[in-house]
């Protein structure tokens, strides 16, 4: 999902209704995915020059601190979400005073802001009774757990999805610690 390239009000006008969406959006893991996919973007014609890659980066779900720009601000729904704000504050407390220049609390807020927009666009795209399956992974940032599937499930309910299910897909290892973290299928039905 390109989070901000199409406004939600315009999205409904250009897309046909579908029964099923299957996707694996970026994780909030501070990976800048265009670095891993740059060759494919050039080969498949999505980019011809570096400026094209920059345009794509500005519209991506912000799962990396390297995708946050000066004008980026979380949407009100995320700023009002107590759970997300608690996690952002915990990360801030763990990173406060470190001068590496990465704003992980803002990355978490922007990630869920962008994913909220994606969930709304999926909702507009699905027929009544249609389902979206998102493969998502929890993350730990400076030892703070970010339960991605649970938070996206809560946001889905706010948007109006009738049914939500979280299924364990697998447990992943982390390079930063020994605790396995879940990768899950979030199944949401309109």
């Amino acid at each position: 999902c390109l989070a901000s390239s199409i406004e939600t009000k315009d999205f409904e006008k250009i897309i046909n209704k579908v029964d099923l969406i299957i996707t694996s959006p970026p994780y909030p893991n501070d990976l800048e995915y265009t670095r891993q996919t740059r060759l494919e973007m050039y080969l498949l014609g999505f980019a011809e020059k570096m400026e094209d890659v920059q345009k794509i980066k500005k519209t991506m779900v912000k799962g990396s601190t390297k995708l946050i720009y000066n004008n980026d601000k979380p949407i009100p729904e995320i700023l009002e979400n107590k759970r997300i704000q608690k996690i952002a504050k915990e990360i801030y407390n763990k990173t406060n005073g470190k001068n590496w220049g990465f704003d992980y609390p803002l990355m978490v807020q922007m990630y869920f802001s962008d994913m909220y927009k994606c969930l709304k666009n999926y909702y507009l795209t699905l027929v009544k009774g249609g389902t979206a399956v998102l493969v998502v992974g929890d993350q730990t940032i400076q030892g703070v757990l970010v339960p991605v599937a649970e938070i996206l499930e809560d946001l889905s309910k706010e948007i109006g999805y009738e049914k939500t299910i979280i299924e364990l897909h697998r447990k992943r290892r982390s390079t930063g610690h020994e605790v396995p973290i879940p990768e899950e299928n979030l199944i949401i039905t309109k």
Side-chain angles (χ1 to χ4, degrees):
C1 176
L2 297 177
S4 58
S5 63
I6 301 172
E7 291 295 321
T8 301
K9 63 182 173 40
D10 297 327
F11 194 79
E12 191 172 25
K13 296 176 191 171
I14 64 168
I15 196 80
N16 291 325
K17 299 288 184 172
V18 297
D19 296 310
L20 179 65
I21 297 170
I22 300 174
T23 184
S24 181
Y27 298 0
N29 56 8
D30 208 24
L31 280 178
E32 203 272 90
Y33 288 99
T34 61
R35 290 188 181 272
Q36 284 78 24
T37 60
R38 194 166 292 158
L39 177 61
E40 290 90 342
M41 284 192 287
Y42 284 103
L43 290 174
L44 294 171
F46 293 109
E48 292 181 9
K49 52 192 181 290
M50 198 57 195
E51 292 81 24
D52 298 333
V53 175
Q54 291 296 325
K55 287 178 187 174
I56 292 169
K57 283 174 65 168
K58 287 183 179 182
T59 63
M60 291 178 63
V61 171
K62 289 163 186 63
S64 170
T65 56
K66 297 162 201 75
L67 295 173
I68 296 173
Y69 295 87
N70 289 335
N71 294 334
D72 288 334
K73 303 285 183 260
I75 61 174
E77 292 86 349
I78 300 308
L79 290 173
E80 295 164 6
N81 185 295
K82 289 181 170 82
R83 189 172 191 188
I84 295 169
Q85 294 312 310
K86 181 178 185 263
I87 291 167
K89 185 174 182 176
E90 287 178 36
I91 295 168
Y92 174 80
N93 290 337
K94 294 264 186 159
T95 59
N96 189 19
K98 295 185 178 173
N99 283 333
W100 56 45
F102 303 120
D103 192 341
Y104 291 110
L106 181 59
M107 180 192 78
V108 168
Q109 293 172 337
M110 290 307 304
Y111 174 80
F112 286 112
S113 288
D114 289 346
M115 286 305 300
Y116 187 93
K117 293 174 189 176
C118 290
L119 292 169
K120 279 188 86 162
N121 285 338
Y122 301 160
Y123 189 85
L124 295 172
T125 303
L126 289 168
V127 298
K128 181 73 175 153
T131 299
V133 180
L134 292 77
V135 180
V136 296
D138 289 359
Q139 291 303 132
T140 56
I141 300 171
Q142 297 295 307
V144 177
L145 177 65
V146 181
V148 174
E150 290 177 11
I151 293 172
L152 292 177
E153 179 182 42
D154 290 345
L155 296 177
S156 298
K157 290 175 182 176
E158 284 179 27
I159 290 168
Y161 287 90
E162 296 291 323
K163 182 178 175 188
T164 63
I165 300 169
I166 297 175
E167 291 179 345
L168 179 65
H169 183 73
R170 69 182 175 120
K171 294 270 187 170
R172 307 183 338 267
R173 291 183 311 131
S174 171
T175 56
H177 56 77
E178 297 298 319
V179 178
I181 50 180
E183 184 173 57
E184 296 164 311
N185 301 322
L186 172 62
I187 304 164
I188 52 179
T189 303
K190 181 175 178 179

